[in-house]
Amino acid sequence: MAIQDIFYQLQGSGLYEIALPFLLIFTITFAILEKTKIFGTKNNEPRSNINAVISVIFGLLIVNQFEIVDRLNLFLPK
């Protein structure tokens, strides 16, 4: 019973509408940038700091678009 209350509080605070879509977009974008090495390499390692900044910016831009977040929330549980 206590675990259900925790999940209801997280849902009420907006975790599912903001944090989870942001983490999804950030993770996918960061992984693609790391794999493609589009911003070059330094000592044969991808530039993770640049990739992280770009991924954060892209994640925040997507979360700001409520239509996209609504589509993600409809699609992901299925």
Side-chain angles (χ1 to χ4, degrees):
M1 199 69 163
I3 294 174
Q4 289 177 346
D5 293 336
I6 292 171
F7 283 117
Y8 287 134
Q9 287 177 349
L10 290 174
Q11 183 179 7
S13 67
L15 177 76
Y16 298 121
E17 289 83 20
I18 296 171
L20 292 180
F22 170 77
L23 285 175
L24 177 69
I25 298 300
F26 172 80
T27 304
I28 291 172
T29 307
F30 186 75
I32 290 171
L33 291 175
E34 286 282 308
K35 186 70 173 176
T36 60
K37 299 178 184 176
I38 197 166
F39 293 111
T41 58
K42 186 175 185 180
N43 299 331
N44 276 341
E45 294 291 324
R47 296 183 178 253
S48 296
N49 53 354
I50 295 173
N51 293 340
V53 170
I54 299 297
S55 299
V56 166
I57 291 170
F58 192 67
L60 290 174
L61 286 173
I62 294 297
V63 169
N64 196 25
Q65 303 298 319
F66 297 112
E67 296 85 17
I68 297 173
V69 173
D70 287 338
R71 296 288 181 185
L72 282 173
N73 287 335
L74 289 174
F75 175 71
L76 288 177
K78 296 178 183 177

